[in-house]
Amino acid sequence: MQGETTAIRIADSEGKLDVFPQSRTPSSGRASAKSWQYSDHMENIDGYLMKYTNLVTGWQYRFFVLNNEAGLLEYFVNEQSRPQKPRGTLPLAGAVISPSDEDSHTFTVNAISGEQYKLRATDAKERQHWVSRLQICTQHHTEAMGKVRRCACRPCALFCAVLLKRSRLTMHFSHTLSLLLPVTLYCYPEDEAEDSFTDKEDDLGAVEEERSVILHLLSQLKLGMDLTRVVLPTFILEKRSLLEMYADFMSHPDIFVAITDGSSPEDRMVRFVEYYLTSFHEGRKGAIAKKPYNPIIGETFHCSWRVPKRPEASKEPTQGSPTRAAPQDCYQVRFVAEQVSHHPPVSGFYAECQERRMCVNTHVWTKSKFMGMSIGVSMVGEGCLCLLEHDEEYVFTLPCAYARSILTVPWVELGGKVNVTCAKTGYSAVITFQTKPFYGGKLHKVTAEVKHNTTNAVVCRVQGEWNGTLEFSYTSGETRVVDVTKLPVTRKHVRPIDKQGPTESRRLWQHVTESLRQKDIDKATEHKRILEERQRTEERHRIETETPWRTRYFESEGDGWVYHKPLWKNSAFKS
């Protein structure tokens, strides 16, 4: 069976696009030679594209027409039926045109109404031509709509406000979904009480109601664009700072403390991998991927956890139940985080358990980019776990994060390879977070290998899901299963807001958080704007007075940031 594809040519004399159907066999995969010339002005184009209908019917050839004057993308069964009524029409004002992540041929057109066309061109060059022409048309009609519709409806009013501020604000997906790594720091345990903050981020209504705002905003983005200084609306925010979200990755401090109990270098490396893999699941507050507040430069977060010294005391009857052991019967894990830089946005973290003579220091900043229907976040930086009892250092990197399905129900996926090394013992681990392929496959799959570098022998393999079940297999033939959803969660201890300093996360963002709880988006947006404007004013003042920013807890060291009083610098803990 033969279908048709299209050779497209723009005539030099008129800037007009001509389309010539050509025969194509399914095995050929692409049309014969095309002559491509690009211009910046709007052009009407037409030609055959494959349109995905459904799982049963699959892909079908359809004849598409871009009507720039009307701002419409129309399609027909074939070119001969063009004089008839189109089989389908999408208005392009406010639409999002997105090249697909799955291959170099596919792209999607998402209308403001929520309707979507999934299309496939003959090759990457043809896709780029369609995408660029559609984006030009979309931008033109979106701007025209914005000039005509100074409307009072809330979604459009909010959108206009977002556009006015987009050059000044920092995007809240830039750290997206940075649901990345566990790390910890110093605090004030004498004033702390068990955390009662239990908000769950499971309200999808706001995202669905404001879909048009997201569509409008995304229509301004281009594939591969750096998102560091692009803002998404307030209604997609999670009710906590990014610094606090990092602390929540320490929700299993008993697993962290148990690393140093390993009887051998091999055992301690495996224990570290278990701690690493079980740290991500509890960092999420709900199924939907919302964005924590971007930390203000100088912002800090402090908390601690109590870990029973007797293992049986840590077994709680229900997930999330408080620790029953008395304070004197517990180890204390302390955490402090600080936003040490604004451009780039760098966060420093430090955690320590003095009684176990162990600590971990991490610095991280994000590079995010627009990937069509996803936002990709690369985590730049590394962490170092120090076990002073064994004189060992475990250096580790961080995975990438992806915000998927950003137009419907956004969710987070991890991807990429993480390396863990211990130079002294010669043991290392490679952890691979696997992203789901477009067709088939499982979500959130992860694998890991622990090996001895000298002999190149693999001593342990791990497979499973980072938010589900993990199976550890050893060379002895022994296996062990860990279900992260059934692990007891230790609530952190934090100081009441009235005892916190003015730059501590919960006090700093308290008005934004309370407005979000009351679902008053406009009020939350205004409180957030005041904080960000104050940050910009202070930054301008430092530039004018040539006053460098001074951090409170972290010091710049090489390419990274290190806590100013780590355990390894304290002689009392080194011996």
Side-chain angles (χ1 to χ4, degrees):
M1 177 179 178
Q2 289 186 335
E4 291 186 322
T5 188
T6 307
I8 302 179
R9 184 180 69 249
I10 303 175
D12 294 337
S13 58
E14 304 176 77
K16 181 180 178 182
L17 191 74
D18 297 323
V19 181
F20 303 96
Q22 294 182 337
S23 297
R24 183 177 78 85
T25 63
S27 61
S28 66
R30 59 184 66 243
S32 59
K34 304 179 182 66
S35 175
W36 297 89
Q37 296 179 18
Y38 293 92
S39 59
D40 293 332
H41 61 277
M42 296 169 63
E43 300 162 335
N44 291 329
I45 63 172
D46 54 26
Y48 283 93
L49 294 169
M50 296 188 75
K51 179 178 180 293
Y52 189 78
T53 306
N54 53 51
L55 288 174
V56 177
T57 310
W59 294 93
Q60 293 183 324
Y61 275 104
R62 292 291 181 259
F63 189 79
F64 283 81
V65 177
L66 171 60
N67 186 332
N68 277 285
E69 184 177 353
L72 299 174
L73 178 63
E74 305 169 329
Y75 79 89
F76 305 83
V77 174
N78 50 45
E79 186 175 6
Q80 290 69 35
S81 61
R82 184 170 178 175
Q84 303 171 13
K85 182 180 178 180
R87 288 288 298 271
T89 302
L90 276 187
L92 295 177
V96 177
I97 318 299
S98 305
S100 174
D101 302 337
E102 61 192 84
D103 57 41
S104 61
H105 299 50
T106 307
F107 63 99
T108 58
V109 183
N110 299 272
I112 195 171
S113 64
E115 189 176 1
Q116 179 191 83
Y117 288 173
K118 184 174 182 179
L119 308 174
R120 180 174 289 171
T122 303
D123 54 27
K125 202 169 186 180
E126 185 180 16
R127 180 182 79 169
Q128 180 58 39
H129 188 77
W130 273 98
V131 167
S132 61
R133 297 304 129 192
L134 286 166
Q135 287 178 338
I136 291 172
C137 179
T138 296
Q139 181 178 356
H140 174 79
H141 286 277
T142 300
E143 292 174 354
M145 181 176 66
K147 293 176 182 178
V148 173
R149 297 178 59 195
R150 301 297 182 188
C151 56
C153 76
R154 185 166 165 274
C156 291
L158 179 58
F159 168 62
C160 292
V162 169
L163 287 183
L164 288 174
K165 298 171 186 174
R166 68 189 294 261
S167 63
R168 298 179 292 142
L169 301 182
T170 303
M171 173 177 179
H172 291 285
F173 256 105
S174 68
H175 302 298
T176 239
L177 297 154
S178 315
L179 41 94
L180 284 268
L181 194 82
V183 179
T184 45
L185 278 212
Y186 188 78
C187 54
Y188 305 89
E190 64 276 5
D191 296 329
E192 293 177 341
E194 186 175 271
D195 190 17
S196 59
F197 185 84
T198 57
D199 287 353
K200 292 293 183 181
E201 300 292 340
D202 53 3
D203 181 12
L204 305 184
V207 176
E208 294 171 352
E209 292 168 10
E210 307 293 353
R211 181 185 179 89
S212 59
V213 181
I214 297 180
L215 281 167
H216 273 298
L217 189 59
L218 294 183
S219 68
Q220 311 300 309
L221 305 180
K222 296 181 180 180
L223 189 67
M225 178 184 288
D226 181 7
L227 301 180
T228 302
R229 302 196 183 190
V230 181
V231 66
L232 284 181
T234 305
F235 63 81
I236 62 99
L237 291 182
E238 189 174 326
K239 295 185 283 291
R240 57 177 175 168
S241 170
L242 180 65
L243 298 186
E244 181 172 351
M245 192 192 79
Y246 279 112
D248 283 347
F249 285 104
M250 286 291 293
S251 295
H252 305 306
D254 52 324
I255 301 178
F256 171 73
V257 169
I259 297 173
T260 195
D261 288 332
S263 58
S264 65
E266 174 186 323
D267 188 21
R268 290 190 289 274
M269 177 61 78
V270 173
R271 286 172 181 245
F272 177 85
V273 170
E274 179 179 354
Y275 152 73
Y276 193 101
L277 291 176
T278 57
S279 63
F280 294 95
H281 173 61
E282 196 57 34
R284 304 307 307 163
K285 292 297 183 184
I288 186 172
K290 288 191 175 182
K291 178 68 188 75
Y293 312 140
N294 270 0
I296 302 297
I297 188 170
E299 178 183 337
T300 62
F301 182 78
H302 307 261
C303 67
S304 65
W305 296 266
R306 293 174 181 174
V307 181
K309 296 179 180 179
R310 294 178 294 107
E312 59 272 15
S314 66
K315 296 179 180 179
E316 301 297 333
T318 59
Q319 179 175 348
S321 58
T323 300
R324 307 297 183 191
Q328 63 271 20
D329 296 327
C330 295
Y331 299 119
Q332 188 172 65
V333 177
R334 300 174 178 177
F335 176 97
V336 64
E338 180 180 6
Q339 191 69 9
V340 297
S341 172
H342 183 49
H343 297 302
V346 183
S347 304
F349 310 90
Y350 174 83
E352 68 180 26
C353 181
Q354 293 186 1
E355 292 179 280
R356 303 311 309 273
R357 298 168 59 201
M358 59 187 300
C359 59
V360 59
N361 187 99
T362 298
H363 69 275
V364 60
W365 63 283
T366 58
K367 289 184 177 180
S368 56
K369 65 178 180 179
F370 183 56
M371 301 170 60
M373 298 312 297
S374 302
I375 292 174
V377 182
S378 299
M379 305 302 291
V380 182
E382 67 177 22
C384 181
L385 169 70
C386 294
L387 304 180
L388 276 66
E389 179 182 352
H390 307 286
D391 191 27
E392 294 173 354
E393 294 184 353
Y394 295 75
V395 178
F396 55 91
T397 56
L398 310 170
C400 298
Y402 301 92
R404 306 293 196 190
S405 304
I406 55 180
L407 292 181
T408 53
V409 181
W411 53 279
V412 170
E413 185 175 30
L414 301 180
K417 287 188 177 182
V418 168
N419 295 302
V420 184
T421 59
C422 180
K424 178 182 177 181
T425 66
Y427 280 90
S428 65
V430 176
I431 303 172
T432 305
F433 293 88
Q434 301 179 14
T435 56
K436 182 183 179 300
F438 185 73
Y439 296 106
K442 289 185 177 181
L443 286 172
H444 311 306
K445 188 175 180 181
V446 64
T447 60
E449 281 190 351
V450 177
K451 71 176 183 179
H452 187 236
N453 297 335
T454 304
T455 61
N456 206 32
V458 176
V459 298
C460 179
R461 287 187 170 90
V462 187
Q463 61 178 359
E465 295 83 43
W466 58 265
N467 62 350
T469 301
L470 298 166
E471 182 180 60
F472 290 73
S473 302
Y474 301 88
T475 52
S476 63
E478 177 189 357
T479 60
R480 184 168 57 91
V481 175
V482 177
D483 187 344
V484 300
T485 65
K486 295 181 180 179
L487 292 174
V489 175
T490 303
R491 287 184 181 176
K492 58 183 176 290
H493 285 62
V494 295
R495 290 189 298 160
I497 288 179
D498 59 357
K499 291 187 177 181
Q500 293 185 8
T503 60
E504 291 190 58
S505 294
R506 289 196 180 178
R507 181 172 175 181
L508 184 69
W509 295 97
Q510 61 179 320
H511 299 302
V512 178
T513 300
E514 186 57 33
S515 298
L516 289 176
R517 285 174 178 164
Q518 297 174 0
K519 302 188 185 302
D520 191 336
I521 302 301
D522 295 332
K523 193 173 180 180
T525 301
E526 178 59 18
H527 285 304
K528 172 172 160 291
R529 184 196 65 79
I530 292 172
L531 287 176
E532 292 170 331
E533 184 57 40
R534 187 180 74 186
Q535 178 177 230
R536 286 189 289 271
T537 300
E538 292 173 351
E539 185 176 13
R540 286 194 297 269
H541 177 72
R542 289 194 299 273
I543 293 174
E544 292 169 359
T545 60
E546 298 183 347
T547 304
W549 173 258
R550 297 186 65 178
T551 56
R552 184 174 182 182
Y553 295 109
F554 287 80
E555 300 170 346
S556 177
E557 189 172 291
D559 295 330
W561 293 82
V562 178
Y563 184 54
H564 67 150
K565 294 181 179 179
L567 288 186
W568 68 78
K569 290 185 179 180
N570 190 327
S571 58
F573 294 99
K574 291 173 69 174
S575 59

